[in-house]
Amino acid sequence: MKSLTRRLVVTWTGLGPRFLPFADAATPDLPLSRLLRLSLFQASVGMALVLLVGTLNRVMIVELHVPASLVAIMVSLPVIYAPVRALIGFRSDNHHSALGWRRVPYIWMGTMLQFGGLAVMPFALLVLSGGGNASQWPAWIGQAGAAIAFLLVGAGVHTTQTAGLALATDLAAEESQPKVVGLMYVMLLVGTMVSAVVFGQLLADFSPGRLVQVIQGAGLATMVLNVVALWKQETRRPPRGAAPARHASFGESWGRFINQVNAMRRLVAIGLGTMAFSMQDVLLEPYGGQVLGMNVGATTSLTATFAAGGLIGFGWASGVLSRGADPFRMAAAGALLGIPAFGAVIMSAPMGSIPLFGAGVLLVGLGGGIFSHGTLTATMNSAPKEQTGLALGAWGAVQATAAGVAVALGGILRDLVSALAARGFFGEALAVPATGYAAVYALEIALLLATTAAMAALIGSQRSGSSPRPFTEEFERRSS
């Protein structure tokens, strides 16, 4: 295990600043090898996300014949925990433990929740499908078991990612914090791509036994990756026995954060854009399987294509923003790019073109990556001092909540429109499976237009990479 870990870190580091966006965030006090080792927790998060919104929704809908609306609800269940991310970030900002750690207890708790959910998930899904002996039991047993598994994984992902990103910013100098967080998200995309390819290969010849092996193997990999990522990362501050300093309550801290100029408008714009890019998460792989006839391995590779687009978007946006571009203008550009991307996805069905579908998925990932990097940079630039965890938690809470709502709405809308189309409500020409999917993609285009309008009102409100935090300075001046 030690030799494998050593080779992994050496390979990771060997990619070097030339090939890794944000690698210039490394400093003598925080070398690239340590940053990349810490980023392994994002690889475990990416692996879980591939299962939740990629591989498993395809398997449940196509192979296990679970209704898309029920699948969408299951996949969106983790959103219940998403609003708590802001509280997790705040608590990890001010946590006091006997060992002096702030972030590690939360990351470890999230790891255990994630592992527990993945351990029971494959069995819950097989019962949910009603196959074999499961048909003799009430349907609610499978539904309850699957719901608990998805909730556990979601809670673990939200907790681990929020506290992990906050730890990354703790280790970095203030001027390089946005770059460090950006590097963490690049590694999330890399982990997503690698996991998608591996899962696609392992599930190419699908069977219930293979499904159990893959998901539980992912749970074990989560434990290994997160332990390696956390090893000797956080120093013990304050020393054991030191009296804890008095901190503001969550309500007071949240009030300071949300009362910043354009804070609420920024969060609304982030939510709209996230919904626009996330509504298709539960539908792209089933779309490829049902409409274009792609197998499990081919549709799982779509997740890797999507992540590759996001990685390219993050890398390009990094170079542009480092030269002083407006992060809101960058986010608006990502939203605009998503419009032709979804147009390509829609047109791939009547044209029967898998390459056009793949190009559309790549562009959706590209636009989403640019949008996410723009909003992430804007959030970090405006984060008040000592509220890094809260700011990242708020950003993550809005994104996760909007994504969960969008996934559920996407699945329900697809089922509703497909049912109406099958009955000839839209005419004989549209009585095909692609109609339900196309309705969802068209709604996403409308949301992207709304996102662009919301971002236009924010352009120019801050400079990318600016270090002053005017609200915090004014608050401290008035308090004194």
Side-chain angles (χ1 to χ4, degrees), residues 387-399:
Q387 288 193 331
T388 301
L390 177 61
L392 289 171
W395 181 79
V398 171
Q399 278 214 325

Side-chain angles (χ1 to χ4, degrees), residues 12 43 47 50 188-200 303-304 307:
W12 216 237
M47 183 168 51
V50 169
L188 172 67
L189 296 174
V190 172
T192 299
M193 288 190 296
V194 173
S195 300
V197 172
V198 172
F199 292 152
T303 304

Side-chain angles (χ1 to χ4, degrees), residues 24-27 29 169 172-181 377 380-381 464-469:
D24 57 346
T27 63
D29 294 332
T169 58
E174 183 175 343
E175 62 274 9
S176 63
Q177 286 178 355
K179 292 182 179 180
V180 169
V181 175
T377 301
M380 291 300 299
N381 288 347
S464 176
S466 59
S467 57
R469 295 176 169 86

Side-chain angles (χ1 to χ4, degrees), residues 303-379:
T303 304
T305 303
F306 180 85
L311 181 60
I312 295 171
F314 257 86
W316 178 79
S318 172
V320 176
L321 288 172
S322 65
R323 296 193 293 269
D326 189 317
F328 293 115
R329 190 181 299 276
M330 179 65 64
L336 285 173
L337 183 59
I339 295 174
F342 283 112
V345 171
I346 293 173
M347 292 305 299
S348 66
M351 296 178 63
S353 175
I354 293 178
L356 180 61
F357 178 48
V361 172
L362 180 68
L363 288 177
V364 171
L366 180 64
I370 294 172
F371 174 82
S372 296
H373 187 12
T375 57
L376 174 62
T377 301
T379 300

Side-chain angles (χ1 to χ4, degrees), residues 150-186:
F150 275 93
L151 283 172
L152 286 174
V153 174
V157 166
H158 292 309
T159 304
T160 299
Q161 191 175 56
T162 301
L165 291 175
L167 174 58
T169 58
D170 290 342
L171 298 176
E174 183 175 343
E175 62 274 9
S176 63
Q177 286 178 355
K179 292 182 179 180
V180 169
V181 175
L183 174 62
M184 295 295 112
Y185 267 87
V186 166

Side-chain angles (χ1 to χ4, degrees), residues 42-94:
Q42 284 285 66
S44 74
V45 171
M47 183 168 51
L49 293 179
V50 169
L51 285 173
L52 293 182
V53 302
T55 304
L56 290 184
N57 77 75
R58 150 73 199 237
V59 167
M60 285 190 286
I61 292 174
V62 180
E63 274 72 30
L64 299 181
H65 307 292
V66 179
S69 55
L70 181 57
V71 173
I73 292 173
M74 290 295 173
V75 173
S76 64
L77 277 177
V79 74
I80 295 175
Y81 203 78
V84 188
R85 289 182 67 139
L87 179 60
I88 294 171
F90 167 78
R91 293 294 299 272
S92 67
D93 282 338
N94 303 290

Side-chain angles (χ1 to χ4, degrees), residues 128-444:
L128 177 67
S129 69
N133 294 331
S135 61
Q136 303 175 12
W137 296 89
W140 67 265
I141 294 179
Q143 295 169 0
I148 292 172
F150 275 93
L151 283 172
L152 286 174
V153 174
V157 166
H158 292 309
T159 304
T160 299
Q161 191 175 56
T162 301
L165 291 175
L167 174 58
T169 58
D170 290 342
L171 298 176
E174 183 175 343
E175 62 274 9
S176 63
Q177 286 178 355
K179 292 182 179 180
V180 169
V181 175
L183 174 62
M184 295 295 112
Y185 267 87
V186 166
M187 294 311 160
L188 172 67
L189 296 174
V190 172
T192 299
M193 288 190 296
V194 173
S195 300
V197 172
V198 172
F199 292 152
Q201 294 295 321
L202 293 176
L203 292 174
D205 297 322
F206 177 82
S207 68
R210 179 61 62 86
L211 181 66
V212 173
Q213 293 174 340
V214 169
I215 298 179
Q216 292 198 329
L220 178 60
T222 295
M223 292 288 293
V224 173
L225 288 172
N226 288 3
V227 168
V228 173
L230 288 180
W231 185 255
K232 294 185 177 180
Q233 291 284 7
E234 185 177 25
T235 57
R236 298 180 179 183
R237 293 177 299 191
R240 285 198 290 177
R246 192 266 176 190
H247 294 284
S249 66
F250 175 73
E252 294 171 339
S253 296
W254 178 256
R256 291 178 57 188
F257 175 79
I258 204 63
N259 286 329
Q260 297 176 87
V261 177
N262 291 325
M264 182 59 71
R265 182 178 296 176
R266 182 176 67 247
L267 294 178
V268 170
I270 291 172
L272 282 174
T274 303
M275 287 188 68
F277 281 110
S278 302
M279 195 170 288
Q280 42 57 5
D281 279 354
V282 75
L283 299 177
L284 282 179
E285 292 199 32
Y287 182 80
Q290 290 186 333
V291 177
L292 297 174
M294 302 170 67
N295 60 31
V296 175
T299 55
T300 300
S301 68
L302 292 173
T303 304
T305 303
F306 180 85
L311 181 60
I312 295 171
F314 257 86
W316 178 79
S318 172
V320 176
L321 288 172
S322 65
R323 296 193 293 269
D326 189 317
F328 293 115
R329 190 181 299 276
M330 179 65 64
L336 285 173
L337 183 59
I339 295 174
F342 283 112
V345 171
I346 293 173
M347 292 305 299
S348 66
M351 296 178 63
S353 175
I354 293 178
L356 180 61
F357 178 48
V361 172
L362 180 68
L363 288 177
V364 171
L366 180 64
I370 294 172
F371 174 82
S372 296
H373 187 12
T375 57
L376 174 62
T377 301
T379 300
M380 291 300 299
N381 288 347
S382 61
K385 295 177 181 178
E386 303 300 326
Q387 288 193 331
T388 301
L390 177 61
L392 289 171
W395 181 79
V398 171
Q399 278 214 325
T401 302
V405 172
V407 166
L409 288 178
I412 293 171
L413 179 62
R414 176 265 184 191
D415 278 1
L416 177 61
V417 175
S418 293
L420 293 175
R423 296 177 182 177
F425 188 83
F426 304 113
E428 184 178 351
L430 294 178
V432 293
T435 301
Y437 294 101
V440 177
Y441 301 145
L443 177 57
E444 289 184 290

